[in-house]
């Protein structure tokens, strides 16, 4: 078992009394909270006992943090996100409050191995990928830098899905992380709110020229809060992650049940509970679209009612709301909050529209995470009118205000008016949630320098002209506690021995490692730690998948959501071309490689699921071909999650960040890999641009077209067929894939994928292939010179401190939240 970070690494020498006290507490929790005698307790009982001991200690700090916020009147930040990919919490929480080593010894004294029980903790299935993991890093960093904050989201019962493979195809199964409860959370029955859907709006005349509107929903559910503590580094502050569960007002219709309709009697329960069953239900059908909108409104309305209730506990009215509260919308999913806050302030608390709108705009800020039009959500107008009739009225009122301002004050003509309108008029009339989030916020931020500039030029170009001072940049970051100290304790200890402990509180102090980048002894120790991490990953791949991979080979890794713009397909095609080259030229000195993939495809995303199948089909052929002589292996590891990432990231030699330039907002996997001593191969996309600037051009491998070049090629007309015909390696690889070499049971399986590259190549796979292949051979050359390789990878670790989420949160707090 890999050595883990211990309290010896983080705190003064241990005292036996600390261990004895913890052992006593463990036995008390086991007896009185779980009801087990130690003689018959199972590993999962010990896990729960350990969590409860840690949780009780955290609760003291949690209450102190809350009292301090009330006493000082500090501004609160509310982070609204449909995802929080927090992963396992036990190690993180215990390390942050400084009891990890004492707990290890206390459990050992009772005959329990903490590493064994830690593996039983389920990953909280509360997110999909980078968006959710960023939210989790931000929650930890807000507590670390002492920003009072709540995270608001949904308590998904099943989350995204558990991914399995059946003959190389992705199969989606329900994730059951809550099957045995969650020892970290507290149910807050007193924090319950009614959420309405449907119905009609009644207009009440008040005086001669004033009206009051009363929404009378046809359906109501109850949102109930469940709180999880979010612990900052060294326990300085503990904030709250508040997740909403849905319950019916009437759990069972007794008349129907007694009449024999036993299934129909539960329809209200089923309708309510469907709101929190699954993250991102497929929206290819009208029913799926409605469920997504219901989910988003459900958690936004509950969160805003909670925020306003808390505000009135301290302040007499809502005029002070923007000074006391900052609400951050994490992408477009919570954009309906803009309208719901106006509704609550007007219809429930009696404010005029203009006042409510002004308060809301000064309170909200919006983080955009994508330039993809399909990811900037929009909803059919009839759906909104039916499901949220009062909100549709307010959308029209907001739109009128914005369009009149644009026409009269800025002189916008029809084309720009159509661009900024909240209502899409070109086809089916839809409400544009990205535009709504933009106009309803005082700050709109991108998540990398390139992404922010592209926002101004593309999706929000005309809104930027209308409000030229709203868009700003906040480049993403990662928490080094999770993504170095917890997942790579061997490297942590080496860094501590070499440069001291300052970096543990200020990640930018890692720069001192630069002095060791060319030190032979340091490189050897750095390489030994990497090899230990690779052994661990190799053991996991062997035990889960029965595939043997050589830790001496280069571990070339691409782990992220499966999407065409992220270009896993480019990576697979290059693997096929490399396979052909190794067989054709066995006399050459090829660098042994393991190409490892992991990630989930959206259930309704056909091409993404086909790419997973292609990866598995290519792996089956290459891995079983003796002509390759073990020089190339391809592995797709199923069910990618945070815990798997914590094993994969420290083991990576090469980090694949190869998205089509201009399409990745930022990326945070690129930061995790580089922090853990991997060399990046990537395009100038997202945060790769800033990573290049920080680590140095000589310590990153950049290839391919820039975002401007991609836009120019698309505008002028792209001829991928001509490019393919001029590239021998690419044409041969595509021919092998399309002709069924890797799919003999269905020779036409991948014809559509290949035809897409030949006919339009929207994601520039053909356009960038030769540059990518050349860059990979450059990587081979660097790999052959181990001193050069480790000089570069050590410098990556040394220069990644700026990409800490602590830095990002400090920028949000100073420049957006004023917290």
């Amino acid at each position: 078992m890999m050595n883990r970070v211990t309290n010896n690494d983080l705190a003064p020498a241990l005292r036996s009394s600390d261990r004895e006290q913890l052992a006593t507490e463990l036995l008390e929790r086991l007896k009185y909270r779980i009801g087990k005698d130690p003689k018959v307790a199972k590993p999962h009982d010990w896990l729960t006992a350990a969590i409860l001991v840690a949780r009780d200690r955290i609760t003291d700090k949690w209450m102190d943090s809350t009292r301090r916020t009330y006493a000082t009147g500090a501004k609160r930040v509310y982070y609204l996100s449909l995802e929080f990919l927090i992963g396992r919490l036990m190690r993180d929480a215990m390390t942050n409050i400084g009891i990890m080593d004492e707990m290890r010894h206390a459990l050992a004294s009772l005959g329990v191995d903490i590493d064994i029980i830690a593996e039983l903790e389920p990953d909280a299935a509360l997110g999909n990928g980078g968006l959710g993991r960023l939210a989790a890093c931000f929650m930890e960093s807000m507590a670390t830098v002492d920003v009072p904050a709540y995270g608001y989201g949904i308590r998904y019962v099943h989350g995204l899905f558990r991914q399995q493979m059946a003959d190389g195809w992705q199969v989606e199964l329900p994730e059951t992380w809550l099957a045995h409860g969650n020892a970290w959370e507290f149910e807050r029955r007193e924090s319950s709110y009614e959420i309405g859907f449907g119905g009609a709006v009644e207009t009440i005349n008040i005086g001669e020229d004033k009206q009051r509107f009363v929404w009378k929903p046809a359906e109501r559910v109850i949102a109930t809060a469940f709180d999880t503590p979010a612990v900052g580094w060294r326990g300085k502050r503990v904030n709250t992650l508040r997740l909403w569960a849905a319950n019916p007002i009437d759990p069972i219709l007794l008349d129907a049940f007694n009449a024999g309709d036993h299934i129909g009697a539960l329809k209200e329960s089923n309708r309510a509970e469907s709101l929190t069953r699954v993250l991102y239900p497929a929206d290819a059908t009208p029913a799926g679209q409605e469920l997504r909108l219901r989910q988003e409104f459900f958690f936004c309305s509950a969160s805003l009612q909670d925020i306003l209730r808390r505000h009135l506990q301290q302040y007499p009215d809502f005029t002070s709301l923007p000074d006391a509260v900052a609400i951050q919308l994490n992408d477009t999913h919570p954009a309906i909050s803009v309208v719901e806050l106006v509704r609550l302030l007007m219809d429930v608390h009696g404010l005029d529209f203009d006042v409510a709108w002004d308060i809301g705009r000064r309170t909200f800020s919006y983080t955009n995470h994508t330039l993809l039009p399909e990811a900037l959500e929009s909803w059919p107008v009839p759906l909104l009118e039916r499901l949220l009739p009062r909100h549709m009225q307010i959308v029209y009122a907001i739109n009128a205000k914005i369009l009149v301002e644009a026409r009269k004050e800025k002189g916008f003509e029809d084309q720009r008016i159509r661009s900024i309108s909240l209502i899409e008029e070109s086809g089916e009339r839809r409400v544009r949630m990205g535009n709504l989030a933009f106009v309803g916020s005082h700050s709109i931020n991108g998540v990398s320098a390139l992404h922010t500039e592209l926002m101004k030029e593309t999706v929000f170009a005309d809104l930027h002209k209308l409000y030229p001072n709203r868009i700003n940049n906040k480049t993403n970051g990662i928490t080094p506690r999770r993504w170095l100290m917890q997942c790579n304790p061997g490297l942590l200890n080496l860094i501590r021995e070499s440069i001291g402990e300052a970096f543990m509180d200020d990640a930018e102090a890692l720069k001192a490692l630069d002095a060791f980048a060319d030190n032979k002894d340091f490189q050897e120790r750095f390489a030994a730690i990497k090899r230990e991490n690779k052994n661990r990953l190799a053991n996991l791949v062997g035990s889960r998948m029965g595939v043997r991979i050589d830790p001496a080979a280069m571990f070339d890794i691409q782990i992220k959501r499966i999407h065409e713009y992220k270009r896993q397909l480019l990576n697979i095609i290059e693997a096929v071309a490399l396979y052909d080259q190794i067989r054709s030229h066995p006399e050459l000195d090829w660098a042994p490689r393991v190409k490892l993939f992991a990630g989930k495809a959206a259930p309704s995303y056909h091409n993404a699921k086909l790419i997973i199948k292609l990866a598995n089909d290519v792996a089956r052929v290459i891995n079983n071909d003796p002509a390759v002589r073990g020089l190339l292996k391809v592995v797709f590891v199923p069910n990618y999650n945070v815990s798997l990432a914590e094993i994969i990231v420290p083991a990576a030699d090469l980090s694949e960040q190869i998205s089509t330039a201009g399409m990745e907002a930022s990326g945070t996997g690129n930061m995790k890999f580089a922090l853990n001593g991997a060399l990046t191969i990537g395009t100038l996309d997202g945060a790769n641009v800033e990573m290049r600037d920080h680590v140095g051009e000589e310590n990153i491998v950049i290839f391919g077209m820039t975002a401007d070049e991609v836009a120019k090629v698309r505008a002028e007309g792209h001829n991928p067929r001509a490019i393919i015909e001029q590239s021998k390696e690419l044409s041969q690889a595509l021919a092998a894939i399309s002709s069924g070499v890797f799919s003999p049971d269905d020779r036409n399986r991948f014809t559509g994928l290949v035809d897409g590259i030949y006919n339009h190549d929207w994601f520039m796979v053909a356009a960038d292939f030769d540059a990518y292949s050349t860059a990979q051979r450059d990587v081979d050359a660097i790999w052959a010179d181990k001193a050069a390789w480790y000089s570069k990878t050590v410098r990556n670790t040394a220069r990644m401190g700026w990409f800490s989420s602590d830095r990002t949160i400090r920028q949000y707090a100073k420049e957006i939240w004023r917290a």
Side-chain angles (χ1 to χ4, degrees):
M1 178 63 68
M2 183 180 183
N3 290 329
R4 284 287 186 171
V5 62
T6 69
N7 213 55
N8 276 334
D9 303 319
L10 306 177
L14 299 174
R15 296 170 300 186
S16 60
S17 59
D18 294 332
R19 302 171 187 172
E20 293 168 1
Q21 176 61 31
L22 278 174
T24 299
E25 292 178 27
L26 284 164
L27 292 173
E28 287 176 350
R29 303 308 186 275
L30 195 67
K31 181 177 180 181
Y32 295 111
R33 307 274 280 278
I34 303 171
K36 282 288 185 76
D37 187 292
K39 293 179 181 179
V40 297
K42 303 299 181 184
H44 63 262
D45 297 319
W46 287 109
L47 170 66
T48 303
I51 289 173
L52 291 174
V53 168
R55 193 186 75 168
D56 287 352
R57 294 188 173 210
I58 289 167
T59 299
D60 290 334
K61 298 177 181 292
W62 198 6
M63 292 184 175
D64 287 343
S65 299
T66 302
R67 292 188 192 106
R68 180 155 45 97
T69 302
Y70 274 102
T72 61
K75 191 172 190 177
R76 285 185 175 89
V77 173
Y78 297 107
Y79 196 83
L80 272 60
S81 179
L82 206 58
E83 298 183 42
F84 287 94
L85 200 57
I86 55 178
R88 293 169 174 162
L89 293 179
M90 188 178 77
R91 290 187 189 279
D92 202 45
M94 289 182 182
T95 299
N96 277 9
I97 63 170
I99 65 167
M100 187 65 194
D101 200 63
E102 292 101 323
M103 184 64 76
R104 179 184 297 277
H105 284 85
L107 284 165
S109 72
L110 299 169
V112 180
D113 186 334
I114 195 172
D115 292 321
I116 292 176
I117 66 170
E119 294 300 313
L120 300 177
E121 184 179 9
D123 271 57
L126 298 171
N128 176 19
L131 180 82
R133 186 53 231 174
L134 180 77
C137 285
F138 277 8
M139 287 301 298
E140 198 260 16
S141 280
M142 282 189 277
T144 293
V145 304
D146 204 21
V147 172
Y150 272 71
Y152 281 112
I154 294 177
R155 184 179 180 264
Y156 300 105
V157 177
H158 299 300
L160 188 63
F161 57 83
R162 179 164 50 90
Q163 182 193 54
Q164 286 190 355
M165 295 296 151
D167 191 29
W169 291 99
Q170 171 179 290
V171 176
E172 300 97 25
L173 299 173
E175 181 61 77
T176 56
W177 76 286
L178 277 176
H180 304 292
N182 177 10
W184 286 107
E185 68 185 8
F186 295 83
E187 182 180 2
R188 307 298 195 193
R189 286 181 290 175
E190 71 282 4
S191 295
S192 294
Y193 303 96
E194 279 196 11
I195 313 298
F197 299 100
V201 180
E202 181 180 334
T203 303
I204 300 174
N205 292 317
I206 304 174
E208 294 183 1
D209 58 350
K210 195 171 183 181
Q211 295 176 321
R212 179 168 170 263
F213 299 93
V214 179
W215 177 29
K216 295 186 174 181
E219 174 194 347
R220 289 185 174 88
V221 299
I222 301 295
T224 300
F226 286 77
D227 288 354
T228 298
V231 188
W233 174 234
R234 301 195 190 277
K236 182 177 183 180
R237 169 175 284 279
V238 180
N239 285 327
T240 303
L241 175 60
R242 175 160 285 188
L243 304 176
W244 299 105
N247 298 290
I249 291 179
D250 295 316
I252 185 170
L253 303 177
L254 279 176
D255 289 348
F257 191 88
N258 291 330
D261 186 6
H262 303 141
I263 303 300
L266 299 175
K267 67 179 183 180
E268 296 299 322
S269 291
N270 291 332
R271 186 190 291 259
E273 291 169 7
S274 69
L275 289 169
T276 58
R277 287 286 179 190
V278 176
L279 168 66
Y280 298 141
D283 60 355
T285 65
Q289 290 183 23
E290 179 174 331
L291 179 55
R292 280 207 188 192
L293 179 56
R294 281 174 173 267
Q295 283 185 324
E296 292 176 8
F297 178 69
F298 166 78
F299 105 87
C300 291
S301 179
S303 303
L304 290 171
Q305 290 183 63
D306 198 46
I307 291 167
L308 296 184
R309 185 265 310 163
R310 188 176 298 109
H311 183 78
L312 287 181
Q313 287 180 343
Q314 280 188 281
Y315 302 94
D317 56 45
F318 293 112
T319 57
S320 59
L321 190 70
D323 300 316
V325 165
I327 304 175
Q328 189 73 35
L329 306 177
N330 191 28
D331 216 4
T332 55
H333 309 122
I336 195 65
S337 298
V338 170
V339 185
E340 173 66 351
L341 181 59
V342 172
R343 184 191 74 84
L344 290 170
L345 292 176
M346 289 178 63
D347 297 358
V348 177
H349 297 285
L351 275 64
D352 290 336
F353 170 76
D354 287 337
V355 174
W357 173 247
D358 178 67
I359 289 172
R361 184 187 52 77
R362 290 190 292 125
T363 302
F364 283 115
S365 47
Y366 161 51
T367 300
N368 173 271
H369 286 277
T370 183
L371 301 174
L372 298 176
E374 66 270 21
L376 289 171
E377 288 182 323
S378 65
W379 301 112
V381 167
L383 172 61
L384 260 169
E385 286 182 321
R386 175 170 56 82
L387 199 65
L388 301 171
R390 176 60 177 140
H391 297 76
M392 198 64 233
Q393 291 180 341
I394 296 172
V395 166
Y396 281 124
I398 294 170
N399 204 39
K401 185 179 184 67
I402 300 304
L403 298 188
V404 168
E405 176 186 347
R407 180 84 72 176
K408 290 186 176 180
E409 297 182 14
K410 297 288 186 176
F412 275 27
E413 300 299 332
D414 289 351
Q415 183 176 349
R416 283 186 174 170
I417 289 291
R418 285 193 293 269
S419 173
I420 67 170
S421 175
L422 303 186
I423 311 297
E424 170 63 56
E425 300 278 4
S426 59
E428 178 189 31
R429 296 175 70 246
R430 302 177 71 92
V431 179
R432 296 160 160 165
M433 305 309 282
N435 285 19
L436 176 62
F438 193 112
V439 301
S441 300
H442 69 276
S443 167
I444 295 86
N445 72 279
V447 289
S448 73
L450 174 63
H451 169 234
T452 299
E453 292 308 307
L454 289 173
M455 271 205 306
K456 297 175 183 178
E457 299 167 7
T458 57
V459 291
F460 294 134
D462 289 316
L463 281 168
H464 176 55
K465 290 182 175 66
L466 182 61
Y467 302 114
N469 299 317
R470 290 194 187 180
I471 294 180
N472 60 90
N473 181 56
K474 299 292 175 283
T475 298
N476 284 344
I478 58 173
T479 168
R481 273 75 60 180
R482 177 67 68 109
W483 296 109
L484 174 62
M485 293 164 58
Q486 282 302 304
C487 74
N488 203 343
L491 181 56
L492 168 68
N493 291 332
L494 175 60
I495 296 172
R496 288 180 68 246
E497 291 175 20
S498 303
I499 65 171
E501 297 186 351
F503 75 95
M504 298 170 71
D505 296 292
D506 177 7
E508 295 205 52
L510 284 167
K511 290 177 182 176
L513 272 183
D514 258 340
F516 296 85
D518 296 314
N519 181 286
K520 183 178 179 181
D521 177 65
F522 186 90
Q523 285 188 357
E524 288 177 352
R525 297 178 67 189
F526 190 89
I529 292 163
K530 180 67 73 173
R531 182 61 177 265
E532 183 183 358
N533 293 331
K534 291 170 72 174
N535 284 333
R536 185 181 184 215
L537 176 57
N539 290 337
L540 181 145
V541 170
S543 63
R544 283 195 188 182
M545 308 181 64
V547 178
R548 183 182 177 188
I549 57 177
D550 183 3
M554 182 198 309
F555 279 17
D556 173 355
I557 297 178
Q558 187 175 15
I559 50 173
K560 51 186 76 238
R561 179 166 51 94
I562 309 299
H563 197 291
E564 288 171 280
Y565 89 80
K566 294 179 184 288
R567 297 203 295 191
Q568 287 92 351
L569 184 57
L570 174 62
N571 194 348
I572 297 166
I573 294 170
E574 199 278 329
V576 172
L578 179 59
Y579 171 55
D580 289 339
Q581 285 290 300
I582 290 172
R583 292 186 298 168
S584 300
H585 297 283
E587 78 284 0
L588 298 180
D589 188 18
W590 297 100
R593 280 187 188 239
V594 174
K595 278 187 171 284
L596 189 147
F597 299 85
K600 296 178 180 179
S604 58
Y605 191 171
H606 173 74
N607 275 5
K609 298 177 83 167
L610 202 56
I611 288 168
I612 293 175
K613 175 60 173 170
L614 176 61
N616 283 310
D617 282 356
V618 168
R620 186 187 64 250
V621 172
I622 292 177
N623 296 350
N624 292 296
D625 189 341
V628 179
R629 296 168 287 133
L631 292 171
L632 180 63
K633 288 284 183 74
V634 178
V635 181
F636 192 100
V637 184
N639 205 38
Y640 179 56
N641 57 19
V642 175
S643 297
L644 183 57
E646 290 172 340
I647 298 172
I648 293 176
V649 167
D653 294 306
L654 185 67
S655 163
E656 297 271 356
Q657 308 297 330
I658 60 175
S659 54
T660 309
M663 301 192 76
E664 182 72 83
S666 171
T668 54
N670 46 4
M671 304 169 192
K672 294 162 193 159
F673 280 118
L675 181 62
N676 282 273
L679 186 69
T680 300
I681 182 170
T683 51
L684 282 177
D685 196 24
N688 288 356
V689 178
E690 288 150 287
M691 282 177 55
R692 177 200 58 178
D693 295 341
H694 280 267
V695 306
E697 290 185 4
E698 68 281 8
N699 299 312
I700 190 171
V701 179
I702 298 294
F703 74 92
M705 292 189 291
T706 65
D708 288 342
E709 290 168 342
V710 169
K712 183 178 180 181
V713 167
R714 285 174 175 165
E716 294 179 352
H718 179 33
N719 185 5
R721 187 173 296 274
I723 293 173
I724 294 167
E725 290 172 352
Q726 292 171 9
S727 173
K728 179 181 177 182
E729 297 304 322
L730 175 57
S731 59
Q732 288 181 348
L734 291 177
I737 293 169
S738 64
S739 65
V741 168
F742 302 98
S743 55
D745 57 320
D746 181 0
R747 295 194 176 275
N748 295 318
R749 178 178 295 144
F750 303 115
T751 301
L753 276 180
V754 174
D755 286 349
I757 298 173
Y758 267 96
N759 294 327
H760 56 80
D761 191 31
W762 180 255
F763 300 100
M764 301 292 153
V765 171
D768 272 349
F769 177 83
D770 283 347
Y772 179 55
S773 181
T774 299
Q776 290 286 20
R777 303 295 74 79
D778 292 341
V779 170
D780 288 345
I782 302 169
W783 179 260
D785 182 348
K786 287 300 187 283
W789 181 273
Y790 287 110
S791 175
K792 293 176 186 297
T793 54
V794 170
R795 285 191 167 90
N796 268 268
T797 297
R799 299 175 183 181
M800 287 302 294
W802 186 82
F803 293 93
S804 166
S805 50
D806 296 351
R807 182 269 313 160
T808 311
I809 288 300
R810 288 190 177 102
Q811 289 180 337
Y812 273 93
K814 180 180 179 182
E815 299 168 19
I816 296 178
W817 303 330
R818 306 286 192 253

